[in-house]
Amino acid sequence: MLEQLLIFTRGGLILWTCKELGNALKGSPIDTLIRSCLLEERSGAASFDYNAPGAAYTLKWTFHNELGLVFVAVYQKILHLLYVDELLAMVKHEFSGIYDPKRTVYSDFDETFRQLKKEAEARAEELKKSKQVGKPVNNSKKQGQVQKAGLGGDKKKNEGGLASDGGDGDTMKGRRLENGNSNGNHVDIKESNVFGTANGKENTSSNLGAFDVNKLQKLRSKGGKKAEKTVTVDSNGSKAEPKKKITKKNRVWDDSPPESKLDFTDPVDENGDNNTQVVAADHGESMMDKEEDFSSESEAEEEEEGEVGKESKPDKQKKGWFSSMFQSIAGKANLERSDLEPALKALKDRLMTKNVAEEIAEKLCESVATSLEGKKLASFTRISSTVQAAMEEALVRILTPRRSIDILRDVHAAREQRKPYVVVFVGVNGVGKSTNLAKVAYWLQQHNVSVMMAACDTFRSGAVEQLRTHARRLQIPIFEKGYEKDPAVVAKEAIQEATNNGSDVVLVDTAGRMQDNEPLMRALSKLVNLNNPDLVLFVGEALVGNDAVDQLSKFNQKLADLSTSSNPRLIDGILLTKFDTIDDKVGAALSMVYISGAPVMFVGCGQSYTDLKKLNVKSIVKTLLK
């Protein structure tokens, strides 16, 4: 049963709701649809599932882009209503005929909707009945019987032929039993591939002749040759010892005594404590606090590229000049999907060359097509420029954070409550979590914030020593408990220690883990649930393409599935590393933000502590569409 149908403008003004249905929706499915689907450029999807305590709805929608109207139908998720798409199309057609921008009440549409709903339900019923009538239920049974009979007949013929050729049929059965086929239903080897799965189960005995003995002999001969190459036998038959690899000796230039082995490790006393005292050097101002201006350079580059393009492609412009000019002057009545497809395909290919995941590029183009379909093309504008402008707006909307996360402001708020601000760094192996944690610590230090590091990577060898080195260089206290400890407990003790010492921020380093590693993902979920950090940062490489979607979606899914809370903590922000290695392949930023809804808060662009900056949204969008 249909729960509700609404018509509202893109500005949010509700024009009409079905009073006949009158069902009070549980939760806020319409608000969730607008917030997490329509505003996030996911409007190209077929439907949206809303799940809340005591409510499970499916929402479908359509747009009238020229009038700026949205039509939304809501029904129970458990039901599969066949007429919803057709009903929405009919309502859109009828309502657009009576729509007036000055009107806000459409009570006269109730009767029209009632009639449309009856028509759509009647058509769906007829379609359902016609499908049931058209199902060949009895014919399939007969066909199955005929097939079985045919198999039996073939078997009898084969058995008869074998008996006549080979003499007695019993002797043939005996031979078959020796070969391992004990079911008595022998099929010729040539026909075993055809009839081997007649009963739905693979006849393993029929595949006995599938292995070629010659292959086995070849493999044995290859193995023998390898053995001859690797093992040398002397004349007495005993194996000779393998020759030792000759290593190059260091050249001695004079009679001076040989130098001791170079050792750059820190000297340690009997108790295991470092004797060296490292003074924290001033590495300069962090790039986080520097405002970068890309506009002049990027615009100059675009102008140069445009001039080169015009010079290199004169014939292409001359070819379609009249048709494109006529279309741009006259304007087109309404844009159709076929008009948009060439420009969208070129745009999709361009995004994928910039390292945007294929799935994300496809969804974005579908969303842009949905927002432009039915719109009137203005005069003196081309379809390609219209599509590019719509895509640019969509990209800016996606990359701009939905909610502001100001770490410094939140740190001061936590300081007033006399508790530390906790940040947990998570991600896959080798992306640079520890290094970029140190960069964030350096940036916070420059803003007079006291920081403590927590070495909760108790899994990887050398992780604690790596973090200890960063802490010593930055003169920051570090909390560690060694290896093979529960990281959730270590983090909890570190937070308690920071509370006692009056540290403002605790930066928690965690072990790198692949998104499919169940034990490590369970340990991470326990750490997040037990300590309830203020910020969960996903550290990802800017080099990844399609794998960015898999990493982030599975991290979020595991954190949600393994959480014991009804409101699980997910990824709050993204730290993008190795951004200086990708040139113009900046698509990973878009893929990660689109799939998670979390903003890119930091961008790592080098190996020193100052190489951390903010994401410039305008620069990224220009690079993606360049």
Side-chain angles (χ1 to χ4, degrees):
M1 181 183 174
L2 195 67
E3 294 290 323
Q4 190 54 268
L5 196 142
L6 297 90
I7 304 172
F8 55 90
T9 64
R10 284 187 179 271
L13 177 63
I14 297 176
L15 300 174
W16 180 85
T17 57
C18 183
K19 296 175 184 176
E20 183 184 341
L21 297 173
N23 296 321
L25 298 175
K26 297 179 181 177
S28 54
I30 305 295
D31 292 342
T32 307
L33 171 72
I34 294 170
R35 187 172 58 252
S36 60
C37 192
L38 303 186
L39 292 179
E40 290 294 315
E41 294 301 325
R42 293 179 173 86
S43 55
S47 61
F48 174 76
D49 291 330
Y50 173 78
N51 295 304
Y57 298 118
T58 297
L59 291 85
K60 289 193 173 185
W61 62 91
T62 186
F63 300 116
H64 197 299
N65 291 313
E66 189 178 354
L67 301 178
L69 300 178
V70 185
F71 303 81
V72 181
V74 187
Y75 59 93
Q76 291 288 343
K77 187 179 176 181
I78 197 171
L79 302 175
H80 298 284
L81 301 184
L82 302 175
Y83 61 86
V84 174
D85 291 324
E86 187 180 359
L87 179 61
L88 281 171
M90 293 162 66
V91 169
K92 172 184 170 182
H93 180 265
E94 292 293 332
F95 191 83
S96 59
I98 65 169
Y99 174 69
D100 183 2
K102 296 177 182 179
R103 282 181 64 183
T104 55
V105 180
Y106 292 87
S107 55
D108 55 337
F109 192 68
D110 294 346
E111 185 60 36
T112 309
F113 172 74
R114 195 179 299 113
Q115 190 64 31
L116 294 175
K117 186 169 176 286
K118 284 180 182 179
E119 288 179 17
E121 287 176 347
R123 286 183 191 174
E125 251 342 282
E126 287 175 10
L127 186 64
K128 194 175 180 183
K129 286 177 182 177
S130 64
K131 282 185 179 178
Q132 288 178 352
V133 170
K135 282 183 181 178
V137 179
N138 297 327
N139 293 339
S140 62
K141 289 183 179 178
K142 289 179 182 178
Q143 286 173 2
Q145 290 171 1
V146 171
Q147 191 179 1
K148 286 181 182 177
L151 285 171
D154 290 340
K155 288 175 186 175
K156 287 178 183 177
K157 285 180 184 178
N158 289 333
E159 285 178 7
L162 286 167
S164 62
D165 292 340
D168 191 6
D170 294 335
T171 58
M172 293 302 298
K173 288 180 182 176
R175 285 176 191 172
R176 279 182 231 115
L177 287 169
E178 287 175 5
N179 290 335
N181 190 351
S182 59
N183 58 4
N185 296 329
H186 180 72
V187 181
D188 195 3
I189 291 172
K190 291 179 181 178
E191 298 178 1
S192 62
N193 292 333
V194 180
F195 299 113
T197 58
N199 296 326
K201 296 179 182 178
E202 187 177 359
N203 191 358
T204 54
S205 59
S206 65
N207 293 328
L208 291 171
F211 186 78
D212 190 1
V213 181
N214 295 327
K215 290 182 180 179
L216 183 61
Q217 291 175 353
K218 287 179 182 177
L219 291 170
R220 284 178 179 170
S221 64
K222 283 181 182 178
K225 287 177 183 177
K226 286 181 181 177
E228 287 172 8
K229 288 179 182 177
T230 53
V231 180
T232 57
V233 183
D234 59 10
S235 59
N236 298 330
S238 59
K239 294 181 180 178
E241 293 182 1
K243 293 182 179 180
K244 293 182 179 179
K245 189 176 180 181
I246 300 171
T247 56
K248 186 177 179 181
K249 295 181 180 179
N250 294 330
R251 184 184 296 274
V252 180
W253 294 99
D254 50 17
D255 297 332
S256 58
E259 293 182 2
S260 59
K261 188 177 179 181
L262 295 176
D263 187 3
F264 290 105
T265 55
D266 298 327
V268 180
D269 59 12
E270 295 178 356
N271 300 325
D273 298 327
N274 293 327
N275 293 331
T276 56
Q277 293 182 355
V278 180
V279 180
D282 186 12
H283 299 276
E285 187 184 357
S286 175
M287 295 174 70
M288 279 290 294
D289 301 317
K290 294 178 182 178
E291 294 294 331
E292 298 186 45
D293 185 19
F294 293 90
S295 57
S296 57
E297 293 178 8
S298 58
E299 285 172 8
E301 286 175 4
E302 283 178 6
E303 286 174 6
E304 287 175 9
E305 287 178 3
E307 288 173 4
V308 171
K310 285 176 185 176
E311 290 173 5
S312 61
K313 299 180 182 178
D315 298 332
K316 223 172 190 181
Q317 287 187 353
K318 287 177 183 177
K319 187 178 178 182
W321 179 83
F322 181 77
S323 58
S324 62
M325 198 64 185
F326 177 77
Q327 185 173 324
S328 63
I329 292 172
K332 190 170 174 65
N334 286 314
L335 287 173
E336 297 175 1
R337 184 61 67 102
S338 57
D339 301 324
L340 301 169
E341 278 176 0
L344 287 171
K345 187 180 184 304
L347 206 54
K348 178 188 170 185
D349 294 340
R350 195 185 306 171
L351 289 172
M352 288 172 63
T353 58
K354 303 293 185 181
N355 220 15
V356 178
E358 183 182 2
E359 179 188 350
I360 305 301
E362 200 168 320
K363 285 182 178 178
L364 272 172
C365 291
E366 187 66 28
S367 179
V368 169
T370 307
S371 65
L372 289 177
E373 196 175 357
K375 268 190 176 180
K376 189 175 181 180
L377 186 67
S379 298
F380 299 99
T381 54
R382 292 183 181 179
I383 294 174
S384 58
S385 58
T386 304
V387 170
Q388 178 138 344
M391 179 62 79
E392 188 174 349
E393 288 177 11
L395 293 177
V396 171
R397 198 180 304 122
I398 290 166
L399 291 171
T400 304
R402 286 183 291 176
R403 61 188 183 93
S404 175
I405 303 177
D406 190 342
I407 293 182
L408 295 174
R409 181 193 62 198
D410 295 341
V411 166
H412 290 301
R415 184 191 290 169
E416 290 176 0
Q417 298 176 6
R418 295 184 179 179
K419 66 173 187 177
Y421 185 83
V422 182
V423 184
V424 174
F425 293 76
V426 303
V428 298
N429 310 75
V431 294
K433 288 184 295 299
S434 303
T435 304
N436 284 277
L437 181 147
K439 292 180 187 179
V440 173
Y442 180 74
W443 170 66
L444 290 170
Q445 269 189 321
Q446 289 191 320
H447 290 273
N448 300 321
V449 175
S450 59
V451 183
M452 173 188 278
M453 293 182 179
C456 295
D457 184 354
T458 61
F459 184 76
R460 175 174 65 90
S461 299
V464 177
E465 288 79 3
Q466 180 186 4
L467 206 64
R468 192 188 298 155
T469 303
H470 285 304
R472 190 174 67 250
R473 292 189 68 189
L474 296 173
Q475 294 290 288
I476 290 175
I478 180 173
F479 186 89
E480 55 175 283
K481 286 288 185 179
Y483 296 99
E484 297 183 0
K485 303 291 191 300
D486 188 352
V489 176
V490 175
K492 189 173 183 179
E493 292 178 2
I495 294 168
Q496 187 62 44
E497 181 73 16
T499 307
N500 298 336
N501 294 341
S503 297
D504 297 327
V505 178
V506 179
L507 302 179
V508 180
D509 185 31
T510 62
R513 65 205 77 212
M514 295 306 294
Q515 60 268 27
D516 298 320
N517 192 324
E518 185 73 22
L520 287 178
M521 289 304 298
R522 196 174 291 278
L524 178 63
S525 178
K526 180 184 176 184
L527 186 149
V528 172
N529 291 326
L530 183 65
N531 297 287
N532 192 23
D534 298 282
L535 190 66
V536 179
L537 274 182
F538 179 84
V539 184
E541 284 182 328
L543 301 167
V544 293
N546 288 324
D547 199 38
V549 177
D550 191 52
Q551 287 177 11
L552 263 166
S553 57
K554 286 190 176 177
F555 259 82
N556 262 336
Q557 184 183 348
K558 290 291 183 184
L559 287 175
D561 293 345
L562 300 174
S563 174
T564 55
S565 172
S566 58
N567 189 20
R569 284 295 306 277
L570 302 178
I571 291 167
D572 300 313
I574 298 166
L575 195 158
L576 211 56
T577 66
K578 307 176 186 178
F579 210 72
D580 54 325
T581 64
I582 56 172
D583 194 23
D584 63 343
K585 305 291 189 293
V586 296
L590 177 64
S591 299
M592 289 183 178
V593 173
Y594 188 91
I595 203 68
S596 67
V600 176
M601 300 183 62
F602 301 100
V603 174
C605 53
Q607 297 187 19
S608 64
Y609 292 131
T610 59
D611 293 330
L612 191 74
K613 60 183 181 181
K614 297 175 184 176
L615 184 76
N616 190 303
V617 174
K618 289 182 180 179
S619 171
I620 296 293
V621 172
K622 282 184 179 178
T623 307
L624 285 170
L625 298 177
K626 189 165 63 176

